Amino acid sequence: MALEEQRLIFKHIDAPGYTRDIDCYLKHGGYEQLKKAVTMKPEDICAEVTASGVRGRGGAGFPAGVKWKFLDRKSGKPIYLICNADESEPGTFKDRQIIHKDPHQLIEGMLCSAFAIQAKLAFIYIRGEFFEGYRILEEAIEEARAKNLLGDNILGSGYSCDIIVHRGAGAYICGEETGLIESLEGNRANPRIKPPYFPAALGLYQCPTIVNNVETLCDVKHIIELGGEAFSKIGTPGNTGTRIWCVSGHVQKPGYYEFPCAALTLGQLINDVCGGLKPGRKLKAVIPGGSSSKILRADERFKGKLKDGTEFDWGIEDIPMDFDSLAAVGSMSGSGGVIIMDDSTDMVEALANINYFYAHESCGQCTPCREGVPWMRKVTARMCAGEAREEDADLLNGIADQIAGRTICAFGEAAAWPVQSFIAKFKDEFVEKAKEQASRRKEGKPAATETTLI
Amino acid sequence: MELKPETIEKIDRLIPRYPVMRSAALPLCHLVQEDQGYLSDEAIEWIAARLELEPINIAEIVTFYPMLRREPTGEYHVRVCRTLPCALGGAYQTCRRLEEELNVKVGHTSEDGKVTLEFVECHADCGKAPVVMVGEREYTDVGLEAASELAAKIKNGSL
Ligand SMILES: Cc1cc2nc3c(=O)[nH]c(=O)nc-3n(C[C@H](O)[C@H](O)[C@H](O)COP(=O)(O)O)c2cc1C
Ligand code: SF4
Ligand code: FES
């Protein structure tokens, strides 16, 4: 049975006849929530967001209402809102759809949020590769300005707020919120250490700043529409609202699919929603939350206790798609990027590919990250080039262990987790690679075979 | 360095929007690069002067951000995403096909200056792998056949 999507954020995306201009948005009830928001008390909106339980969609899953509460409102400094539209976590492609196909939803969500935190200036930090997305947002902002939905004295409410679209330039680390802030200040995107530089206290220009993901800010619009309480009924307690799962890799129908949290299992997502694997192929592994999240092996049994004490005993296909379940099996839902690998995948090559990415993207501030991540890349590249050693798996793991937890920003973990989890789950393949190469060499054949992923 | 009047106009409109002028550094790099094709020493000095900064302040961001270039690209700038989802979809094979048909190695510009071929990291469209960009235009699901077609169009200048 095919599962029906339940779209909230993507309700109009790809709908026949729906266009991204403001007239179409208004025809579909657009900006009604902004009209409502500016008549509310800002703190009441914050209370609704807290009541909704909505967790950040950018990666860490931190409750938005709690983050907003950390905002230093007493400093007397201006407050800023930043929308993180860097969408740089490999495997993630949901924010792109919102920006390209429903930009006013984001603008409305941002203005509601900016009003709630009383920010007079907001930024959309958009990745540099989104050339078209940048133009679309600029155009949408001018459309909104022309209708007094943005800018000075919005809808006669006395509240003013402008939005600046700021383009990145191809660096993944700009997705990390403090790196993003440095970048927005005109510097290299070197992340700042927390504490003390929590953006809510010392953010942009050392002023209190809220950074939220595109999807999180869109959620705020729906929280105002439904009320926090009703929003919290979507999904399960602690895992509220919908999530847009971006499925890529070896499935028949890759794409983006929106469901309430926990409404389906990983197996249903792969088999019922994405049409299963290619003919004759078997599932080998899944990276469930963007390339930084820990890999799950298809034949594992996942046993343990959920936060509420319920015991679980799941196969990979039984895992409910929500924040807490994916955390309980030792990974995370992260940014919603679900990467599927079938049995044709060479795990050493897959890790070599991932290591190449992180080695390319380290900002270079911390020694363990700057030196360790390229070292891991070198080891896996050497393994693929025919010089694998049986002890490489342990070497890789040792390097990763010395990076995670020892760096300024969470990039250190993002780069270490794939290595640690690939070795934990597929060590046999790493050792086997060395053995195979040795026996080919003995037979006088070239040790390396042609690679496809690196 | 001679900037187009439209570029100057955009720069003049952009800078006062930021609470702190230095924030305009990256946007100015983009605008000048779009105008000139790359960021020369002169361009870096120009941007620094415009923002009342030192040239090193601009040079350090130009050398940090992958999209900012110190050299011009070929007439066609071809970027192939090689990150895992695209690789699982065959991006490396796509790139090899482009290398063969465009007669240029990835990471280089062809001798006639026509094509620059580069690997890039995830472009956030992984559901339509492999993803290739030519200039500012994105092409998706670029398998081997599509790669050959793209290369043919680049070669005969019809793209
Ligand atoms: C290395 C790294 C990359 C990140 N990339 C992104 C990104 O591309 N988009 C995003 O929204 N958050 C990203 N984040 C998370 C942000 O730091 C931040 O937590 C998030 O934008 C907060 O928004 P949220 O609470 O709405 O999720 C990244 C974090 C790290 C450590
Ligand atoms: S962990 Fe890596 S990316 Fe993060 S600050 Fe340190 S060097 Fe930079
Ligand atoms: S991996 Fe190529 S677009 Fe994401």
Side-chain angles (χ1 to χ4, degrees), chain A residues 89-93 96 248, chain B residues 81-87 91 120-131 138:
Chain A
E89 180 66 25
T92 319
F93 45 97
R96 166 194 278 273
S248 64
Chain B
C81 172
R82 51 125 253 124
T83 316
L84 187 60
C86 276
V120 290
E121 301 302 333
C122 181
H123 269 198
D125 217 354
C126 332
K128 297 179 187 159
V131 172
E138 194 199 61

PDB file of all heavy atoms in Angstrom, chain A residues 89-93 96 248, chain B residues 81-87 91 120-131 138, ligand 3:
ATOM      1  N   GLU A  89      24.367  20.421   4.080  1.00  0.00           N
ATOM      2  CA  GLU A  89      24.590  19.053   4.543  1.00  0.00           C
ATOM      3  C   GLU A  89      24.288  18.077   3.398  1.00  0.00           C
ATOM      4  O   GLU A  89      23.156  18.022   2.910  1.00  0.00           O
ATOM      5  CB  GLU A  89      23.669  18.771   5.737  1.00  0.00           C
ATOM      6  CG  GLU A  89      23.783  17.388   6.325  1.00  0.00           C
ATOM      7  CD  GLU A  89      25.126  17.100   6.989  1.00  0.00           C
ATOM      8  OE1 GLU A  89      25.795  18.049   7.426  1.00  0.00           O
ATOM      9  OE2 GLU A  89      25.499  15.926   7.044  1.00  0.00           O
ATOM     10  N   PRO A  90      25.290  17.321   2.939  1.00  0.00           N
ATOM     11  CA  PRO A  90      25.047  16.438   1.785  1.00  0.00           C
ATOM     12  C   PRO A  90      23.849  15.514   1.989  1.00  0.00           C
ATOM     13  O   PRO A  90      23.696  14.903   3.039  1.00  0.00           O
ATOM     14  CB  PRO A  90      26.354  15.653   1.683  1.00  0.00           C
ATOM     15  CG  PRO A  90      27.384  16.605   2.186  1.00  0.00           C
ATOM     16  CD  PRO A  90      26.706  17.325   3.320  1.00  0.00           C
ATOM     17  N   GLY A  91      23.015  15.459   0.987  1.00  0.00           N
ATOM     18  CA  GLY A  91      21.821  14.632   1.047  1.00  0.00           C
ATOM     19  C   GLY A  91      20.557  15.429   1.336  1.00  0.00           C
ATOM     20  O   GLY A  91      19.464  14.872   1.354  1.00  0.00           O
ATOM     21  N   THR A  92      20.695  16.726   1.563  1.00  0.00           N
ATOM     22  CA  THR A  92      19.548  17.549   1.950  1.00  0.00           C
ATOM     23  C   THR A  92      19.152  18.491   0.813  1.00  0.00           C
ATOM     24  O   THR A  92      20.006  19.195   0.268  1.00  0.00           O
ATOM     25  CB  THR A  92      19.915  18.394   3.187  1.00  0.00           C
ATOM     26  OG1 THR A  92      20.660  17.588   4.081  1.00  0.00           O
ATOM     27  CG2 THR A  92      18.685  18.927   3.868  1.00  0.00           C
ATOM     28  N   PHE A  93      17.863  18.502   0.467  1.00  0.00           N
ATOM     29  CA  PHE A  93      17.439  19.382  -0.635  1.00  0.00           C
ATOM     30  C   PHE A  93      16.007  19.851  -0.470  1.00  0.00           C
ATOM     31  O   PHE A  93      15.251  19.944  -1.415  1.00  0.00           O
ATOM     32  CB  PHE A  93      17.640  18.687  -1.997  1.00  0.00           C
ATOM     33  CG  PHE A  93      17.185  17.241  -2.059  1.00  0.00           C
ATOM     34  CD1 PHE A  93      15.944  16.900  -2.553  1.00  0.00           C
ATOM     35  CD2 PHE A  93      18.034  16.221  -1.636  1.00  0.00           C
ATOM     36  CE1 PHE A  93      15.531  15.571  -2.619  1.00  0.00           C
ATOM     37  CE2 PHE A  93      17.628  14.884  -1.695  1.00  0.00           C
ATOM     38  CZ  PHE A  93      16.379  14.567  -2.189  1.00  0.00           C
ATOM     39  N   ARG A  96      15.789  24.196  -0.658  1.00  0.00           N
ATOM     40  CA  ARG A  96      15.815  24.614  -2.062  1.00  0.00           C
ATOM     41  C   ARG A  96      14.397  24.676  -2.642  1.00  0.00           C
ATOM     42  O   ARG A  96      14.053  25.622  -3.350  1.00  0.00           O
ATOM     43  CB  ARG A  96      16.646  23.608  -2.874  1.00  0.00           C
ATOM     44  CG  ARG A  96      16.478  23.750  -4.369  1.00  0.00           C
ATOM     45  CD  ARG A  96      17.025  22.540  -5.102  1.00  0.00           C
ATOM     46  NE  ARG A  96      18.465  22.582  -5.290  1.00  0.00           N
ATOM     47  CZ  ARG A  96      19.063  23.173  -6.317  1.00  0.00           C
ATOM     48  NH1 ARG A  96      18.361  23.787  -7.234  1.00  0.00           N
ATOM     49  NH2 ARG A  96      20.367  23.150  -6.421  1.00  0.00           N
ATOM     50  N   SER A 248      17.782  10.119  -1.201  1.00  0.00           N
ATOM     51  CA  SER A 248      18.673  10.060  -2.359  1.00  0.00           C
ATOM     52  C   SER A 248      19.385   8.720  -2.369  1.00  0.00           C
ATOM     53  O   SER A 248      19.265   7.932  -1.430  1.00  0.00           O
ATOM     54  CB  SER A 248      19.702  11.198  -2.301  1.00  0.00           C
ATOM     55  OG  SER A 248      20.545  11.028  -1.176  1.00  0.00           O
TER      56      SER A 248
ATOM     57  N   CYS B  81      28.938  17.845  -9.475  1.00  0.00           N
ATOM     58  CA  CYS B  81      28.845  17.490  -8.060  1.00  0.00           C
ATOM     59  C   CYS B  81      29.334  16.064  -7.870  1.00  0.00           C
ATOM     60  O   CYS B  81      28.890  15.164  -8.579  1.00  0.00           O
ATOM     61  CB  CYS B  81      27.409  17.622  -7.559  1.00  0.00           C
ATOM     62  SG  CYS B  81      27.251  16.976  -5.891  1.00  0.00           S
ATOM     63  N   ARG B  82      30.242  15.860  -6.916  1.00  0.00           N
ATOM     64  CA  ARG B  82      30.835  14.530  -6.718  1.00  0.00           C
ATOM     65  C   ARG B  82      30.534  13.957  -5.344  1.00  0.00           C
ATOM     66  O   ARG B  82      31.076  12.922  -4.953  1.00  0.00           O
ATOM     67  CB  ARG B  82      32.345  14.530  -6.951  1.00  0.00           C
ATOM     68  CG  ARG B  82      33.155  15.567  -6.220  1.00  0.00           C
ATOM     69  CD  ARG B  82      34.303  15.029  -5.369  1.00  0.00           C
ATOM     70  NE  ARG B  82      33.918  15.151  -3.979  1.00  0.00           N
ATOM     71  CZ  ARG B  82      33.873  14.155  -3.101  1.00  0.00           C
ATOM     72  NH1 ARG B  82      34.240  12.963  -3.450  1.00  0.00           N
ATOM     73  NH2 ARG B  82      33.459  14.356  -1.862  1.00  0.00           N
ATOM     74  N   THR B  83      29.712  14.634  -4.553  1.00  0.00           N
ATOM     75  CA  THR B  83      29.429  14.188  -3.191  1.00  0.00           C
ATOM     76  C   THR B  83      28.596  12.897  -3.229  1.00  0.00           C
ATOM     77  O   THR B  83      27.999  12.582  -4.254  1.00  0.00           O
ATOM     78  CB  THR B  83      28.746  15.330  -2.413  1.00  0.00           C
ATOM     79  OG1 THR B  83      29.442  16.549  -2.685  1.00  0.00           O
ATOM     80  CG2 THR B  83      28.759  15.094  -0.922  1.00  0.00           C
ATOM     81  N   LEU B  84      28.573  12.185  -2.098  1.00  0.00           N
ATOM     82  CA  LEU B  84      28.072  10.806  -2.086  1.00  0.00           C
ATOM     83  C   LEU B  84      26.763  10.545  -2.844  1.00  0.00           C
ATOM     84  O   LEU B  84      26.741   9.659  -3.698  1.00  0.00           O
ATOM     85  CB  LEU B  84      28.005  10.284  -0.642  1.00  0.00           C
ATOM     86  CG  LEU B  84      27.660   8.794  -0.512  1.00  0.00           C
ATOM     87  CD1 LEU B  84      28.684   7.906  -1.210  1.00  0.00           C
ATOM     88  CD2 LEU B  84      27.551   8.390   0.955  1.00  0.00           C
ATOM     89  N   PRO B  85      25.676  11.274  -2.561  1.00  0.00           N
ATOM     90  CA  PRO B  85      24.450  10.959  -3.306  1.00  0.00           C
ATOM     91  C   PRO B  85      24.638  11.049  -4.822  1.00  0.00           C
ATOM     92  O   PRO B  85      24.161  10.184  -5.560  1.00  0.00           O
ATOM     93  CB  PRO B  85      23.451  11.999  -2.793  1.00  0.00           C
ATOM     94  CG  PRO B  85      23.923  12.296  -1.404  1.00  0.00           C
ATOM     95  CD  PRO B  85      25.423  12.272  -1.500  1.00  0.00           C
ATOM     96  N   CYS B  86      25.346  12.058  -5.294  1.00  0.00           N
ATOM     97  CA  CYS B  86      25.594  12.157  -6.730  1.00  0.00           C
ATOM     98  C   CYS B  86      26.520  11.040  -7.191  1.00  0.00           C
ATOM     99  O   CYS B  86      26.328  10.472  -8.259  1.00  0.00           O
ATOM    100  CB  CYS B  86      26.163  13.523  -7.111  1.00  0.00           C
ATOM    101  SG  CYS B  86      24.862  14.763  -7.328  1.00  0.00           S
ATOM    102  N   ALA B  87      27.518  10.714  -6.371  1.00  0.00           N
ATOM    103  CA  ALA B  87      28.434   9.628  -6.731  1.00  0.00           C
ATOM    104  C   ALA B  87      27.673   8.309  -6.845  1.00  0.00           C
ATOM    105  O   ALA B  87      27.912   7.518  -7.762  1.00  0.00           O
ATOM    106  CB  ALA B  87      29.560   9.523  -5.710  1.00  0.00           C
ATOM    107  N   ALA B  91      28.069  10.056 -10.656  1.00  0.00           N
ATOM    108  CA  ALA B  91      28.704  11.335 -10.980  1.00  0.00           C
ATOM    109  C   ALA B  91      30.142  11.189 -11.490  1.00  0.00           C
ATOM    110  O   ALA B  91      30.575  11.937 -12.363  1.00  0.00           O
ATOM    111  CB  ALA B  91      28.693  12.250  -9.755  1.00  0.00           C
ATOM    112  N   VAL B 120      32.648  19.802  -7.715  1.00  0.00           N
ATOM    113  CA  VAL B 120      32.172  20.616  -6.599  1.00  0.00           C
ATOM    114  C   VAL B 120      31.468  19.700  -5.611  1.00  0.00           C
ATOM    115  O   VAL B 120      31.213  18.532  -5.909  1.00  0.00           O
ATOM    116  CB  VAL B 120      31.196  21.734  -7.052  1.00  0.00           C
ATOM    117  CG1 VAL B 120      31.918  22.818  -7.829  1.00  0.00           C
ATOM    118  CG2 VAL B 120      30.040  21.165  -7.858  1.00  0.00           C
ATOM    119  N   GLU B 121      31.169  20.238  -4.433  1.00  0.00           N
ATOM    120  CA  GLU B 121      30.487  19.451  -3.410  1.00  0.00           C
ATOM    121  C   GLU B 121      28.977  19.718  -3.455  1.00  0.00           C
ATOM    122  O   GLU B 121      28.534  20.693  -4.051  1.00  0.00           O
ATOM    123  CB  GLU B 121      31.078  19.759  -2.033  1.00  0.00           C
ATOM    124  CG  GLU B 121      32.581  19.457  -1.923  1.00  0.00           C
ATOM    125  CD  GLU B 121      32.956  18.006  -2.228  1.00  0.00           C
ATOM    126  OE1 GLU B 121      32.108  17.108  -2.028  1.00  0.00           O
ATOM    127  OE2 GLU B 121      34.097  17.763  -2.681  1.00  0.00           O
ATOM    128  N   CYS B 122      28.246  18.839  -2.804  1.00  0.00           N
ATOM    129  CA  CYS B 122      26.778  18.775  -2.847  1.00  0.00           C
ATOM    130  C   CYS B 122      26.100  20.121  -3.131  1.00  0.00           C
ATOM    131  O   CYS B 122      26.293  21.101  -2.427  1.00  0.00           O
ATOM    132  CB  CYS B 122      26.249  18.215  -1.535  1.00  0.00           C
ATOM    133  SG  CYS B 122      24.455  18.070  -1.479  1.00  0.00           S
ATOM    134  N   HIS B 123      25.276  20.120  -4.161  1.00  0.00           N
ATOM    135  CA  HIS B 123      24.555  21.320  -4.558  1.00  0.00           C
ATOM    136  C   HIS B 123      23.110  21.327  -4.063  1.00  0.00           C
ATOM    137  O   HIS B 123      22.292  22.088  -4.556  1.00  0.00           O
ATOM    138  CB  HIS B 123      24.588  21.461  -6.079  1.00  0.00           C
ATOM    139  CG  HIS B 123      25.758  22.272  -6.551  1.00  0.00           C
ATOM    140  ND1 HIS B 123      25.840  22.840  -7.788  1.00  0.00           N
ATOM    141  CD2 HIS B 123      26.893  22.604  -5.920  1.00  0.00           C
ATOM    142  CE1 HIS B 123      26.981  23.495  -7.902  1.00  0.00           C
ATOM    143  NE2 HIS B 123      27.641  23.359  -6.789  1.00  0.00           N
ATOM    144  N   ALA B 124      22.804  20.442  -3.121  1.00  0.00           N
ATOM    145  CA  ALA B 124      21.464  20.382  -2.540  1.00  0.00           C
ATOM    146  C   ALA B 124      20.388  20.120  -3.587  1.00  0.00           C
ATOM    147  O   ALA B 124      19.363  20.796  -3.634  1.00  0.00           O
ATOM    148  CB  ALA B 124      21.156  21.658  -1.741  1.00  0.00           C
ATOM    149  N   ASP B 125      20.648  19.157  -4.443  1.00  0.00           N
ATOM    150  CA  ASP B 125      19.600  18.669  -5.347  1.00  0.00           C
ATOM    151  C   ASP B 125      19.788  17.171  -5.569  1.00  0.00           C
ATOM    152  O   ASP B 125      19.567  16.660  -6.660  1.00  0.00           O
ATOM    153  CB  ASP B 125      19.637  19.427  -6.684  1.00  0.00           C
ATOM    154  CG  ASP B 125      18.227  19.655  -7.227  1.00  0.00           C
ATOM    155  OD1 ASP B 125      17.270  19.134  -6.615  1.00  0.00           O
ATOM    156  OD2 ASP B 125      18.080  20.339  -8.246  1.00  0.00           O
ATOM    157  N   CYS B 126      20.166  16.492  -4.475  1.00  0.00           N
ATOM    158  CA  CYS B 126      20.633  15.109  -4.546  1.00  0.00           C
ATOM    159  C   CYS B 126      19.580  14.116  -5.021  1.00  0.00           C
ATOM    160  O   CYS B 126      19.922  12.986  -5.363  1.00  0.00           O
ATOM    161  CB  CYS B 126      21.139  14.664  -3.186  1.00  0.00           C
ATOM    162  SG  CYS B 126      21.760  15.999  -2.159  1.00  0.00           S
ATOM    163  N   GLY B 127      18.318  14.507  -5.030  1.00  0.00           N
ATOM    164  CA  GLY B 127      17.270  13.607  -5.503  1.00  0.00           C
ATOM    165  C   GLY B 127      17.301  13.452  -7.011  1.00  0.00           C
ATOM    166  O   GLY B 127      16.613  12.601  -7.573  1.00  0.00           O
ATOM    167  N   LYS B 128      18.085  14.306  -7.678  1.00  0.00           N
ATOM    168  CA  LYS B 128      18.139  14.264  -9.142  1.00  0.00           C
ATOM    169  C   LYS B 128      19.574  14.072  -9.599  1.00  0.00           C
ATOM    170  O   LYS B 128      20.054  14.714 -10.539  1.00  0.00           O
ATOM    171  CB  LYS B 128      17.588  15.565  -9.710  1.00  0.00           C
ATOM    172  CG  LYS B 128      16.131  15.794  -9.364  1.00  0.00           C
ATOM    173  CD  LYS B 128      15.707  17.112  -9.964  1.00  0.00           C
ATOM    174  CE  LYS B 128      14.308  17.510  -9.518  1.00  0.00           C
ATOM    175  NZ  LYS B 128      14.132  18.963  -9.683  1.00  0.00           N
ATOM    176  N   ALA B 129      20.272  13.209  -8.880  1.00  0.00           N
ATOM    177  CA  ALA B 129      21.682  12.963  -9.177  1.00  0.00           C
ATOM    178  C   ALA B 129      21.837  12.268 -10.533  1.00  0.00           C
ATOM    179  O   ALA B 129      20.941  11.533 -10.936  1.00  0.00           O
ATOM    180  CB  ALA B 129      22.263  12.081  -8.077  1.00  0.00           C
ATOM    181  N   PRO B 130      22.972  12.461 -11.176  1.00  0.00           N
ATOM    182  CA  PRO B 130      24.044  13.420 -10.903  1.00  0.00           C
ATOM    183  C   PRO B 130      23.677  14.843 -11.342  1.00  0.00           C
ATOM    184  O   PRO B 130      22.976  15.032 -12.323  1.00  0.00           O
ATOM    185  CB  PRO B 130      25.207  12.909 -11.751  1.00  0.00           C
ATOM    186  CG  PRO B 130      24.833  11.550 -12.237  1.00  0.00           C
ATOM    187  CD  PRO B 130      23.341  11.512 -12.257  1.00  0.00           C
ATOM    188  N   VAL B 131      24.212  15.786 -10.573  1.00  0.00           N
ATOM    189  CA  VAL B 131      23.923  17.193 -10.811  1.00  0.00           C
ATOM    190  C   VAL B 131      25.161  17.872 -11.417  1.00  0.00           C
ATOM    191  O   VAL B 131      26.268  17.697 -10.924  1.00  0.00           O
ATOM    192  CB  VAL B 131      23.542  17.881  -9.476  1.00  0.00           C
ATOM    193  CG1 VAL B 131      23.416  19.385  -9.646  1.00  0.00           C
ATOM    194  CG2 VAL B 131      22.245  17.293  -8.925  1.00  0.00           C
ATOM    195  N   GLU B 138      21.681  24.897 -13.823  1.00  0.00           N
ATOM    196  CA  GLU B 138      21.819  23.564 -13.278  1.00  0.00           C
ATOM    197  C   GLU B 138      21.181  22.524 -14.195  1.00  0.00           C
ATOM    198  O   GLU B 138      20.099  22.748 -14.728  1.00  0.00           O
ATOM    199  CB  GLU B 138      21.129  23.507 -11.912  1.00  0.00           C
ATOM    200  CG  GLU B 138      21.505  22.282 -11.126  1.00  0.00           C
ATOM    201  CD  GLU B 138      20.527  21.969 -10.011  1.00  0.00           C
ATOM    202  OE1 GLU B 138      19.338  21.728 -10.302  1.00  0.00           O
ATOM    203  OE2 GLU B 138      20.954  21.968  -8.866  1.00  0.00           O
TER     204      GLU B 138
HETATM  205  S1  FES C   3      25.294  15.169  -3.702  1.00  0.00           S
HETATM  206 FE1  FES C   3      25.141  16.186  -5.585  1.00  0.00          FE
HETATM  207  S2  FES C   3      23.533  17.556  -5.248  1.00  0.00           S
HETATM  208 FE2  FES C   3      23.787  16.644  -3.306  1.00  0.00          FE
END
